[in-house]
Amino acid sequence: MDEELQNIQKSLNFMSDELSKVAEKQEKLLALVTEVAKLKKIIKAKDAIIRGLEHRIEDLEQYTRREDIIVSGLQTTHRSYARATVMSMTTESGEDAPPEEQQTLERQVIQFLESRNIKVAPENITACHTLPKKHKDAKPTIAVRFVNRKHKVELLRQAKLLKGTGVYVNEHLTKKNADIARDARNLRKLKKIQATWTRNGQVKIRLNGTPEESKVVTIRDLKDLDPYK
């Protein structure tokens, strides 16, 4: 009997030691869990700061385009770089570019707009140039910068006169905002929202529903459109 009691005591002592080890490991594990929770909070706070900085950078980039509009779908012609180089290096009269090629890009844009009863004064334009093409055979996308924002707003207000021409005039959006605007237009086509437009570089959508429900929402990230898909 004494021997059995001793064996039982040894087993109990062994179990007690093991339980102490388990308790010690559990305590360390709980400390690690607490530390992980703290780190998650720190990461979350830093992510919020990063998102804020990204939004700020995006806003600044969009702000630099506040006087710009984009003309897409307009077929233009202009003197090629090779022809211009040859003509500048030779003193002979030679063959010059056809008259339509001699017109500046700015002038071609203005003439097209005037053909649709949209008046644009050349002195209100500070720059006009094409953007890099996504496809070799694509029509050029033209960026036009005005002296101030009111000229841009006035042109956008008359953009409805271009209906049926295949030419479109829009604000010059950053890539991020352009992607948001594209997805918003797709949602409108699918009738998931009533309407979408841009204002001062920001993408706006109007929700479906009654006049009370159809509020206007500003979309800053692509994920902000997820609830309406």
Side-chain angles (χ1 to χ4, degrees):
M1 180 66 70
D2 290 340
E3 186 177 350
E4 289 182 2
L5 288 174
Q6 288 177 1
N7 289 334
I8 292 173
Q9 185 62 46
K10 288 180 180 179
S11 297
L12 290 173
N13 290 338
F14 176 78
M15 292 177 63
S16 178
D17 290 341
E18 291 298 312
L19 287 172
S20 296
K21 292 178 182 179
V22 170
E24 185 180 351
K25 290 180 179 179
Q26 186 178 28
E27 186 176 348
K28 291 181 179 179
L29 182 60
L30 288 173
L32 287 174
V33 170
T34 302
E35 187 66 23
V36 169
K38 290 180 180 179
L39 289 174
K40 284 184 176 180
K41 287 183 179 180
I42 293 173
I43 291 172
K44 186 176 181 180
K46 288 185 176 180
D47 285 346
I49 293 173
I50 291 172
R51 283 195 300 273
L53 290 173
E54 288 175 343
H55 285 156
R56 180 59 178 160
I57 292 171
E58 181 73 20
D59 289 343
L60 288 173
E61 184 181 352
Q62 188 63 69
Y63 184 77
T64 63
R65 307 181 184 197
R66 64 192 181 279
E67 287 96 10
D68 298 4
I69 60 99
I70 291 294
V71 180
S72 56
L74 178 61
Q75 186 62 59
T76 60
T77 58
H78 57 281
R79 176 182 289 189
S80 67
Y81 176 80
R83 185 192 295 272
T85 302
V86 170
M87 292 301 299
S88 66
M89 293 177 62
T90 181
T91 57
E92 300 178 2
S93 57
E95 181 185 359
D96 204 350
E100 64 273 13
E101 285 195 28
Q102 296 182 42
Q103 293 180 356
T104 65
L105 182 64
E106 176 184 312
R107 186 57 193 161
Q108 290 178 71
V109 171
I110 292 174
Q111 285 184 342
F112 173 77
L113 293 175
E114 288 179 342
S115 73
R116 305 301 298 182
N117 295 319
I118 300 175
K119 302 299 182 183
V120 177
E123 59 269 23
N124 292 336
I125 295 177
T126 61
C128 181
H129 61 88
T130 58
L131 299 178
K133 292 183 179 182
K134 293 183 178 179
H135 306 290
K136 179 181 177 181
D137 298 326
K139 292 181 180 179
T141 299
I142 305 166
V144 180
R145 173 162 293 181
F146 289 95
V147 173
N148 60 51
R149 200 179 310 176
K150 70 178 183 180
H151 302 307
K152 180 195 80 170
V153 172
E154 177 61 22
L155 176 56
L156 291 173
R157 188 183 66 80
Q158 300 179 75
K160 59 186 178 182
L161 296 175
L162 299 176
K163 187 175 182 180
T165 65
V167 176
Y168 302 92
V169 173
N170 295 288
E171 289 191 289
H172 190 186
L173 302 177
T174 61
K175 183 182 184 306
K176 178 182 177 182
N177 286 335
D179 290 342
I180 294 172
R182 181 199 62 232
D183 281 15
R185 288 193 298 270
N186 289 336
L187 288 178
R188 183 193 61 196
K189 291 177 183 177
L190 294 172
K191 298 184 178 180
K192 298 294 183 69
I193 58 175
Q194 279 195 47
T196 182
W197 63 95
T198 65
R199 180 176 297 165
N200 296 327
Q202 292 185 328
V203 181
K204 309 279 186 179
I205 65 171
R206 183 178 294 279
L207 304 183
N208 289 329
T210 63
E212 293 77 16
E213 297 170 335
S214 59
K215 63 179 181 179
V216 174
V217 179
T218 300
I219 305 297
R220 293 185 61 87
D221 290 289
L222 281 171
K223 62 182 179 60
D224 294 341
L225 291 172
D226 289 346
Y228 313 111
K229 292 183 179 178

